[in-house]
């Protein structure tokens, strides 16, 4: 419970008697926060919460429910995840911040297509995010979640991998960074090919 569990190769549903891993937990939390019956006051508290000093009762309640409490370093990472999910949840459409079929990099690029002046998530911002570590990465991600807002859901399992493994298992964090970059530039290539036709 005090360590970040290793993720299985697939995101298959939890089997009887097996504790769900962080990818499943992230998707479940995103779905719960987007439901109509999730208290809007709790959602607002997660949005206002400082991920570096989490003080919202709903944050602690969610950690306890999913058995994630016990290690302050890991709790801080979950605070950033829950804060980001809350910021990206579309309450007007009851749409989750999590989209299992949309890689993070693609969502960032597609948002950028609407702002070719570099105002949304430019290549420069992407490179800054992918080279950042520790507190700087946390600050850049918190800013990115606010920028993206409820307009671009993405695969929060991928984002959780980056956040949870940063500074813990750098090989896995680096894998998440590479996946984000690949999806961003693949979306750019597709967009360029479409525009040239």
């Amino acid at each position: 419970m005090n360590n970040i569990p290793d993720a299985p190769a697939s995101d298959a549903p939890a089997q009887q008697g097996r504790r769900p891993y962080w990818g499943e937990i992230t998707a479940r939390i995103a779905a719960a926060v987007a439901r109509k019956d999730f208290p809007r006051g709790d959602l607002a508290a997660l949005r206002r919460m400082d991920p570096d000093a989490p003080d919202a009762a709903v944050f602690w309640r969610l950690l306890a429910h999913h058995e994630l409490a016990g290690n302050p370093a890991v709790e801080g990472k979950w605070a950033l995840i829950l804060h980001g999910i809350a910021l990206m949840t579309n309450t007007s459409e009851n749409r989750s911040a999590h989209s299992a079929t949309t890689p993070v990099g693609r969502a960032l690029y597609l948002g950028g297509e609407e702002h070719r002046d570099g105002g949304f998530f430019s290549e420069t911002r992407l490179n800054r995010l992918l080279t950042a570590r520790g507190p700087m990465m946390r600050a850049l991600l918190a800013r990115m979640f606010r920028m993206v807002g409820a307009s671009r859901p993405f695969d929060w399992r991928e984002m959780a991998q980056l956040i949870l493994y940063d500074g813990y298992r750098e090989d896995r964090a680096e894998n998440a960074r590479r996946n984000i970059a690949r999806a961003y530039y693949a979306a750019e290539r597709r967009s360029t090919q479409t525009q040239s036709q």
Side-chain angles (χ1 to χ4, degrees):
M1 176 169 58
N2 292 338
N3 293 322
I4 301 164
D6 289 335
S10 72
D11 195 22
Q15 296 172 352
Q16 190 77 17
R18 179 179 67 81
R19 185 171 180 266
Y21 76 96
W22 55 262
E24 294 171 23
I25 293 169
T26 304
R28 288 179 186 179
I29 290 172
V33 168
R35 285 196 329 248
K36 286 183 181 183
D37 62 347
F38 191 82
R40 291 301 168 225
D42 285 351
L43 181 61
L46 288 173
R47 287 176 172 168
R48 285 191 311 267
M49 179 180 75
D50 177 356
D52 292 324
D55 59 357
V58 64
F59 166 72
W60 294 106
R61 193 176 305 115
L62 286 167
L63 257 58
H65 178 76
H66 293 284
E67 300 179 27
L68 299 171
N71 179 328
V74 176
E75 290 167 354
K77 291 173 184 258
W78 279 105
L80 182 60
I81 291 168
L82 270 62
H83 178 64
I85 287 172
L87 288 170
M88 291 179 58
T89 298
N90 187 324
T91 54
S92 64
E93 298 177 15
N94 295 102
R95 189 182 70 219
S96 174
H98 174 63
S99 171
T101 60
T102 307
V104 173
R106 184 186 321 150
L108 294 178
Y109 181 81
L110 293 175
E113 279 189 328
E114 298 167 2
H115 302 84
R116 279 296 168 212
D117 61 354
F120 179 71
F121 213 82
S122 65
E123 182 175 13
T124 302
R125 280 193 171 130
L126 176 73
N127 289 332
R128 196 175 307 135
L129 174 64
L130 296 180
T131 57
R133 303 293 186 271
M136 178 56 72
M137 185 189 81
R138 288 176 60 84
L140 292 173
L141 283 174
R143 191 175 309 145
M144 183 199 82
F145 300 146
R146 284 185 212 92
M147 289 174 64
V148 173
S151 62
R152 295 281 178 193
F154 55 62
D155 189 344
W156 263 93
R157 296 168 303 180
E158 185 178 5
M159 181 55 67
Q161 179 181 355
L162 174 60
I163 294 169
L164 291 170
Y165 286 127
D166 180 59
Y168 171 67
R169 288 280 309 266
E170 272 307 312
D171 57 327
R172 293 187 182 210
E174 186 59 28
N175 186 48
R177 290 182 183 97
R178 289 172 186 252
N179 287 338
I180 291 169
R182 284 185 193 108
Y184 184 94
Y185 289 106
E188 179 187 59
R189 180 179 50 80
R190 280 191 295 273
S191 176
T192 304
Q193 289 174 342
T194 302
Q195 291 172 6
S196 66
Q197 292 177 354

